[in-house]
Amino acid sequence: MKNFLTVTMMSLGVPMILMGDEMRRTQNGNNNAYCFDNETNWLDWTLLKKHADLHRFVKLLIARRRQREIGHEQQRVSLNN
């Protein structure tokens, strides 16, 4: 999980993470749960205490992402050069 979050947060562009990824929230395989009003879609706040180490790690990744220089990102990146 930490490897996935590190690659996502340190990559160029907008990181695509969902609410609860920082505390290992799952929808049990349902990737289209927007229409459910049940425990599948509810956020279980007890996960924050249970996975506090991962939450702290994500906060550090966000802080690191904000600190990095973005000058190289203003130029077009291409794999064909």
Side-chain angles (χ1 to χ4, degrees), residues 20-68:
D21 282 347
E22 72 279 5
M23 54 183 163
R24 295 186 183 195
R25 175 180 176 257
T26 180
Q27 293 178 338
N28 298 319
N30 188 343
N31 64 349
N32 197 13
Y34 72 93
C35 62
F36 293 111
D37 186 19
N38 59 21
E39 60 275 352
T40 301
N41 229 10
W42 299 337
L43 185 63
D44 182 5
W45 288 99
T46 61
L47 292 173
L48 186 58
K49 186 180 284 188
K50 185 176 178 182
H51 301 291
D53 60 327
L54 184 62
H55 184 256
R56 182 184 156 278
F57 182 76
V58 172
K59 286 172 49 176
L60 292 172
L61 284 175
I62 292 170
R64 175 63 182 105
R65 183 176 170 88
R66 287 182 176 172
Q67 289 176 352
R68 75 176 183 191

